[in-house]
Amino acid sequence: MSDATTRPSTRRREQTRARLLDAAHEIFGEVGMDGASVEAICERAGFTRGAFYSNFDSKDELFLALVSRMAEAKMDEVAGRVRDLSTSAPLQPAALVRQVLGVSLGEHTEPQLMSEIRTQALRDPRMAQAYLAWHERLQARVAAVIRTVVDTQGVRLRLSVDEAARLLLSLSEESSMFATIEGKSEAQIGAVLADRLEHLVTLLVDVS
């Protein structure tokens, strides 16, 4: 098969996956993960069950892919802000958090979806393996962002980069979950995260 034939096929597959993910996101927001049936997702996306199962092995895999897409989009945004730091003067830890993360970190993180996926991972060893692999990739991206900040800003950490990434990610997840339980809006969740991460970064940075 020629490259010219493969490219349109690849694009169609990517578009199908994207539409299924968009539909899943909408359905989840309406009825939750358990209520979001494959049939409802396919109907909303305008595809057959065959199209669904040619892209995802299960509903759990689709929702994990949805979380991955949201997390990657957020990390791409953060990475872009970090690149902008390379031409700026070194910043204090609190200012670094505000400039790199902004107050939008909590937007579109879907704590309810994350909570349900973790619950599924506790029940299903296959889902657990997939979730742990995804979480490891996300942590690696956070670590890469931290390394860039360390290199461009001359920051010294009290912990290793990997340990700092693990702490920042854990705090983000826990804060987002509790802020959601408290009924806060996305903007309020972002503000809570920025404030708590600012305090944590201040503790992590060695200013001696």
Side-chain angles (χ1 to χ4, degrees), residues 152-173:
T152 60
Q153 296 290 303
V155 173
R156 291 178 299 177
L157 300 176
R158 300 179 189 276
L159 300 175
S160 70
V161 168
D162 289 337
E163 289 172 324
R166 189 177 300 109
L167 276 176
L168 288 168
L169 192 54
S170 295
L171 179 65
S172 298
E173 292 172 345

Side-chain angles (χ1 to χ4, degrees), residues 135-190:
H135 201 272
E136 185 176 348
R137 291 194 301 272
L138 178 60
Q139 186 172 301
R141 285 213 63 184
V142 174
V145 166
I146 295 174
R147 287 190 185 92
T148 301
V149 171
V150 168
D151 293 341
T152 60
Q153 296 290 303
V155 173
R156 291 178 299 177
L157 300 176
R158 300 179 189 276
L159 300 175
S160 70
V161 168
D162 289 337
E163 289 172 324
R166 189 177 300 109
L167 276 176
L168 288 168
L169 192 54
S170 295
L171 179 65
S172 298
E173 292 172 345
E174 183 178 13
S175 297
S176 180
M177 179 186 67
F178 275 100
T180 301
I181 291 173
E182 292 168 349
K184 289 180 168 52
S185 66
E186 285 188 349
Q188 290 172 324
I189 293 172

Side-chain angles (χ1 to χ4, degrees), residues 4-208:
T5 303
T6 302
R7 283 195 295 271
S9 177
T10 301
R11 283 196 297 270
R12 283 195 298 272
R13 182 178 178 84
E14 290 173 350
Q15 291 168 357
T16 299
R17 284 178 63 89
R19 285 171 59 183
L20 286 167
L21 288 169
D22 289 341
H25 199 176
E26 292 176 5
I27 297 291
F28 169 79
E30 296 168 6
V31 300
M33 185 174 173
D34 287 339
S37 67
V38 170
E39 289 77 10
I41 293 168
C42 290
E43 182 178 355
R44 182 70 59 91
F47 293 118
T48 64
R49 286 173 61 91
F52 179 95
Y53 286 110
S54 68
N55 285 275
F56 303 100
D57 290 336
S58 65
K59 187 177 71 171
D60 287 346
E61 182 182 314
L62 178 142
F63 278 105
L64 190 56
L66 176 59
V67 169
S68 297
R69 186 175 71 168
M70 292 187 294
E72 287 296 324
K74 183 57 62 179
M75 288 307 303
D76 287 343
E77 178 185 341
V78 170
R81 293 178 181 177
V82 169
R83 285 193 294 271
D84 292 339
L85 292 176
S86 60
T87 58
S88 65
L91 301 172
Q92 293 299 312
L96 268 174
V97 172
R98 288 193 296 272
Q99 184 161 332
V100 171
L101 300 178
V103 295
S104 63
L105 188 65
E107 294 179 355
H108 313 303
T109 53
E110 305 287 358
Q112 302 99 320
L113 178 57
M114 287 302 307
S115 178
E116 292 198 41
I117 285 178
R118 291 191 192 103
T119 299
Q120 295 295 329
L122 288 169
R123 297 170 177 166
D124 184 348
R126 292 174 301 176
M127 187 63 174
Q129 185 176 9
Y131 175 80
L132 290 173
W134 167 80
H135 201 272
E136 185 176 348
R137 291 194 301 272
L138 178 60
Q139 186 172 301
R141 285 213 63 184
V142 174
V145 166
I146 295 174
R147 287 190 185 92
T148 301
V149 171
V150 168
D151 293 341
T152 60
Q153 296 290 303
V155 173
R156 291 178 299 177
L157 300 176
R158 300 179 189 276
L159 300 175
S160 70
V161 168
D162 289 337
E163 289 172 324
R166 189 177 300 109
L167 276 176
L168 288 168
L169 192 54
S170 295
L171 179 65
S172 298
E173 292 172 345
E174 183 178 13
S175 297
S176 180
M177 179 186 67
F178 275 100
T180 301
I181 291 173
E182 292 168 349
K184 289 180 168 52
S185 66
E186 285 188 349
Q188 290 172 324
I189 293 172
V192 168
L193 284 177
D195 180 65
R196 292 180 181 174
L197 289 172
E198 181 179 318
H199 282 85
L200 178 58
V201 169
T202 300
L203 294 173
L204 290 176
V205 173
D206 185 355
V207 295
S208 59

